[in-house]
Amino acid sequence: MPPLNRAAARTPVPLARWLGTLAGRNSNEILLGGTGHLQLSAAEEGNVVTQLRQGVLPRLFPDGEFAQVCLLTGLAPGSDLLFARVLSGWLLEKDIPFRMIGLLPVPPDTLLEDWLDNLREAGEDISPAQRQLRRQQIETTLASCETIVDLLPPGSGAAELRDQAFREQQYRRLAACLAQRSDILVAILREQNLLRPGGTAEVVDWRRNPHHIPDEFCTDPPPMPDGGGHRLIVIDPAVAYTPPAHDP
């Protein structure tokens, strides 16, 4: 397959440089991170979209109380791209200012290939047209990001990326970044799911238990303020949205 078009995307910035900018950001801006499974069925996607648009988001932003929202996305096909697409569309509809940050654990081409390998390991495959659609979705999301954060360690390159263990470490680095740096983290997680390195269950575990994060992946965030609004919202994609009884 031809390489992903990166011309429309911003030049990636190193993780350390991006982390250094967080202290100076607008105090009214909230970092809203999203994580979830690489594979969702059509029914699961529908459930997630409805839960986000009708349940989670109206309750997070009942009066547009935040001056700005910063979306953090890992850019992988599946839940990451769905999260970016649904949230950016909803925020536009509600006229809530936002920007998007792409946290890139590996180059886009490697991200797509790893996703395809994940499908094959699960005994699934997709048509060439569907592969092209996923490529276009990654390109569109990359182009929509104000900043692309390169999570690769300095000096790493093609030789390291050929190593599956190295790539797994990179996905764990992304997991730690989302777990530690999101003011609010939305996780799309099935009820029965094994704790896999760099997977959604590990992100959720690290969010709940920061001391579980290995030192080599820790991004050393500032201490959370007492009573701060750091929240974790878990969506089970198998569950359809049910409006609360008081809703009209």
Side-chain angles (χ1 to χ4, degrees):
M1 292 189 294
L4 282 158
N5 176 18
R6 304 176 201 177
R10 305 295 186 268
T11 301
V13 302
L15 173 61
R17 186 188 306 171
W18 177 68
L19 292 174
T21 69
L22 294 182
R25 65 188 176 93
N26 189 325
S27 61
N28 290 325
E29 181 180 68
I30 185 165
L31 297 178
L32 178 54
T35 186
H37 300 301
L38 293 173
Q39 303 170 51
L40 295 173
S41 69
E44 287 177 327
E45 279 202 14
N47 287 339
V48 170
V49 170
T50 305
Q51 289 197 54
L52 285 171
R53 291 184 59 88
Q54 297 185 25
V56 172
L57 293 172
R59 286 168 174 75
L60 283 180
F61 308 105
D63 303 308
E65 61 191 75
F66 298 106
Q68 179 151 330
V69 178
C70 180
L71 301 179
L72 303 179
T73 174
L75 295 163
S79 297
D80 287 2
L81 295 185
L82 180 67
F83 175 85
R85 185 169 70 251
V86 173
L87 267 69
S88 60
W90 190 89
L91 293 169
L92 280 171
E93 291 173 15
K94 303 303 179 182
D95 200 27
I96 299 176
F98 74 96
R99 62 192 179 111
M100 188 152 54
I101 305 293
L103 303 174
L104 200 58
V106 294
D109 295 296
T110 306
L111 197 65
L112 182 58
E113 286 301 321
D114 280 346
W115 178 74
L116 291 170
D117 286 343
N118 187 278
L119 284 183
R120 296 184 191 106
E121 289 175 8
E124 301 179 28
D125 203 354
I126 59 175
S127 68
Q130 290 173 314
R131 295 184 192 190
Q132 182 60 28
L133 175 61
R134 295 297 184 270
R135 293 168 63 79
Q136 291 172 348
Q137 289 173 341
I138 293 176
E139 289 180 351
T140 298
T141 307
L142 279 168
S144 300
C145 289
E146 178 190 88
T147 303
I148 302 293
V149 181
D150 186 359
L151 302 185
L152 285 172
S156 55
E160 289 80 8
L161 287 167
R162 285 192 291 269
D163 181 5
Q164 184 176 354
F166 174 82
R167 299 198 307 275
E168 182 179 278
Q169 286 186 322
Q170 285 304 107
Y171 293 120
R172 299 189 84 192
R173 200 177 307 279
L174 167 64
C177 201
L178 287 168
Q180 293 185 293
R181 290 297 175 170
S182 302
D183 296 318
I184 298 175
L185 179 65
V186 179
I188 301 168
L189 178 65
R190 298 184 183 98
E191 184 176 5
Q192 301 297 329
N193 192 74
L194 297 176
L195 193 67
R196 193 175 68 175
T200 307
E202 185 163 72
V203 181
V204 170
D205 176 65
W206 286 357
R207 177 70 169 192
R208 290 171 171 158
N209 305 286
H211 59 281
H212 288 178
I213 302 175
D215 290 342
E216 63 264 34
F217 304 128
C218 185
T219 61
D220 294 323
M224 292 184 180
D226 293 338
H230 292 75
R231 298 176 57 186
L232 169 66
I233 299 170
V234 178
I235 295 175
D236 184 345
V239 177
Y241 174 71
T242 302
H246 64 271
D247 279 7

